[in-house]
Amino acid sequence: MKTQCWVKIKITKMELSGKVISVTENTGVKQDGVTEWFRYDVLINYEQGQFPKNAAISFSGKKFENVLKLEGKEARIYFDISGQIYNGKPQNILKGYKYDVR
């Protein structure tokens, strides 16, 4: 018997600042066979030092194509966290919605 537990958490503002290491563009066609989709995956280094830390943040939609120009620059990225269970394993996705070049 499986038990489900839900916890509701309100997070006001999530952001990371650092150097953008890479930006990858992914495209495809939706199931309707007509509509194109765009996703831009940004890898940002937000902590330097002996053990540097990176995070991957995804931006969805053609309106974020300017994110491609961030590679190699210092930036602040604002995002939300989305979670799901896929094939029985939990997954967290960082979904970007805004960015500033520093």
Side-chain angles (χ1 to χ4, degrees):
M1 180 175 168
K2 289 187 176 182
T3 304
Q4 291 185 350
C5 178
W6 298 94
V7 177
K8 188 173 183 179
I9 299 172
K10 183 177 181 179
I11 300 172
T12 55
K13 184 175 165 183
M14 301 283 301
E15 65 180 70
L16 286 175
S17 295
K19 185 174 182 177
V20 175
I21 297 170
S22 67
V23 181
T24 307
E25 179 181 31
N26 297 291
T27 62
V29 179
K30 292 185 179 181
Q31 288 182 348
D32 65 9
V34 178
T35 311
E36 233 182 336
W37 59 264
F38 296 88
R39 188 182 76 224
Y40 304 94
D41 296 324
V42 177
L43 185 64
I44 185 168
N45 173 251
Y46 64 91
E47 191 172 309
Q48 292 76 32
Q50 184 178 1
F51 303 104
K53 295 185 180 179
N54 300 328
I57 302 173
S58 296
F59 288 85
S60 296
K62 186 74 170 170
K63 66 182 177 181
F64 289 112
E65 71 181 330
N66 286 334
V67 171
L68 292 167
K69 298 175 185 175
L70 289 180
E71 195 165 325
K73 297 181 180 174
E74 292 286 325
R76 177 182 301 147
I77 299 178
Y78 301 89
F79 62 93
D80 291 325
I81 300 173
S82 177
Q84 65 183 12
I85 295 179
Y86 183 72
N87 288 337
K89 296 179 183 178
Q91 252 185 0
N92 290 319
I93 301 168
L94 306 181
K95 294 184 175 185
Y97 61 86
K98 180 181 166 183
Y99 63 91
D100 299 322
V101 179
R102 304 173 108 220

